[in-house]
């Protein structure tokens, strides 16, 4: 009788541990957000990428309202990078630790204007100065 109780207790413990491991393996996170400029106006079409610490990468485009979403994420640390032509790229670290959605507002700053001027001359273009 005593051995039967022990066997029942061990079976219950084993079932609990298996269920706990199964639930942990099934847990997934969600990262959502909106891409804006420094004034708060949304930036549709921005390229949004999410890279895990293990090197797995996912990419999306911000929708018409500037929104993006990455679901089914394993728990861990991620690098979120947002790019759009004419703006500086914005990179942030995101930590997914529960199934609760993590919401980010990513503000992009306008890129500094750059201009390149190339001057070329040949021997025929040399000016002569009369004395």
């Amino acid at each position: 009788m005593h051995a039967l109780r022990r066997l029942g207790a061990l079976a219950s413990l084993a079932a609990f541990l298996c269920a706990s491991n199964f639930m942990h393996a099934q847990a997934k996170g969600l990262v959502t957000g909106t891409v804006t400029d420094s004034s708060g106006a949304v930036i549709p079409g921005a390229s949004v990428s999410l890279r895990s610490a293990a090197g797995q990468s996912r990419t999306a485009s911000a929708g018409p309202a500037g929104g993006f979403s990455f679901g089914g994420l394993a728990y861990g640390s991620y690098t979120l990078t947002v790019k759009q032509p004419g703006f500086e790229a914005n990179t942030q670290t995101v930590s997914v630790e529960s199934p609760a959605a993590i919401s980010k507002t990513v503000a992009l700053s306008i890129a500094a204007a750059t201009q390149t001027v190339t001057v070329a001359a040949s021997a025929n273009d040399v000016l002569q100065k009369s004395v």
Side-chain angles (χ1 to χ4, degrees):
M1 180 85 162
H2 187 42
L4 190 55
R5 281 189 192 171
R6 269 192 177 160
L7 183 59
L10 285 174
S12 295
L13 179 61
F16 172 76
L17 291 175
C18 287
S20 174
N21 285 338
F22 177 76
M23 293 300 285
H24 181 68
Q26 298 299 316
K28 300 291 181 183
L30 172 67
V31 174
T32 65
T34 305
V35 181
T36 66
D37 65 13
S38 56
S39 73
V42 298
I43 302 176
S47 173
V48 184
S49 65
L50 190 68
R51 185 175 182 86
S52 71
Q56 298 169 331
S57 186
R58 294 169 64 181
T59 303
S61 290
F68 63 88
S69 180
F70 295 99
L73 301 172
Y75 293 168
S77 182
Y78 292 84
T79 301
L80 177 70
T81 302
V82 180
K83 297 179 182 179
Q84 177 70 2
F87 292 88
E88 296 288 335
N90 184 316
T91 300
Q92 301 179 11
T93 301
V94 179
S95 184
V96 177
E97 298 175 350
S98 75
I102 297 170
S103 182
K104 292 285 194 179
T105 298
V106 182
L108 299 182
S109 301
I110 295 176
T114 58
Q115 184 175 16
T116 304
V117 176
T118 304
V119 178
S122 67
N124 296 331
D125 296 332
V126 177
L127 293 177
Q128 292 184 347
K129 183 178 179 183
S130 57
V131 181

